[in-house]
Amino acid sequence: MKFFDKTLRIQTNKSIEILNITSQISQLVQESEIEKGTTIVYSPHTTTALIINENEPGLVKDIEGAIKDLIPWGKIYAHNAIDNNAASHIVSSFLGNSLNLIISKGNLELGTWQSIFFVELDGSRPRKVLVRIVGE
Ligand code: ZN
């Protein structure tokens, strides 16, 4: 059993932004030389998320729009008394901050229409994504 750990560094540029990180994750799977295993993709932040969906520009815009509509961003939240970003934390907790992926024959098992996206919910900021690949 092999373990391969890497940290991706991402600079986001908008308050809400969906970034396709599929090629970076695939690159790490190649680097790991692990043929059969799993990948954990994890964001160690409380105002970001990770999702898998289709990389169609209209849909990515629609998901950004849905995130804005998901909860009332202008509401008065208790957390805003110390840090004006409660809505970002709430959406992050709804979407989730880790993904588990399967590696077979040295490649990610993604469906034809699936891509991996990092979701910024309180940008712009420097962010990290931790990747652990386990297998043989
Ligand atoms: Zn906060």
Side-chain angles (χ1 to χ4, degrees), residues 79 83 85 89:
H79 179 67
D83 189 13
N85 63 358
H89 289 282

Side-chain angles (χ1 to χ4, degrees), residues 56-67:
E56 189 280 306
L59 178 65
V60 172
K61 259 188 209 159
D62 291 339
I63 295 171
E64 281 183 15
I67 287 169

Side-chain angles (χ1 to χ4, degrees), residues 23-131:
S23 61
Q24 290 99 311
I25 305 297
S26 294
Q27 176 68 37
L28 295 180
V29 171
Q30 303 303 316
E31 272 179 44
S32 77
E33 297 183 344
I34 288 172
E35 290 290 311
K36 186 176 184 180
T38 55
T39 304
I40 300 165
V41 183
Y42 179 76
S43 171
H45 305 287
T46 56
T47 55
T48 68
L50 288 158
I51 60 172
I52 292 178
N53 219 291
E54 185 175 340
N55 186 33
E56 189 280 306
L59 178 65
V60 172
K61 259 188 209 159
D62 291 339
I63 295 171
E64 281 183 15
I67 287 169
K68 289 170 187 163
D69 294 342
L70 192 59
I71 63 162
W73 286 72
K75 192 181 153 186
I76 295 166
Y77 294 99
H79 179 67
N80 288 355
I82 59 149
D83 189 13
N84 194 33
N85 63 358
S88 307
H89 289 282
I90 293 166
V91 175
S92 168
S93 68
F94 288 172
L95 296 179
N97 64 354
S98 71
L99 299 171
N100 290 300
L101 303 159
I102 295 169
I103 299 164
S104 300
K105 296 177 183 161
N107 290 301
L108 288 175
E109 288 268 16
L110 286 170
T112 307
W113 305 108
Q114 287 185 314
S115 292
I116 304 163
F117 295 99
F118 179 82
V119 184
E120 173 63 76
L121 297 163
D122 190 28
S124 56
R125 294 170 189 255
R127 299 294 200 175
K128 289 192 288 194
V129 174
L130 310 184
V131 180

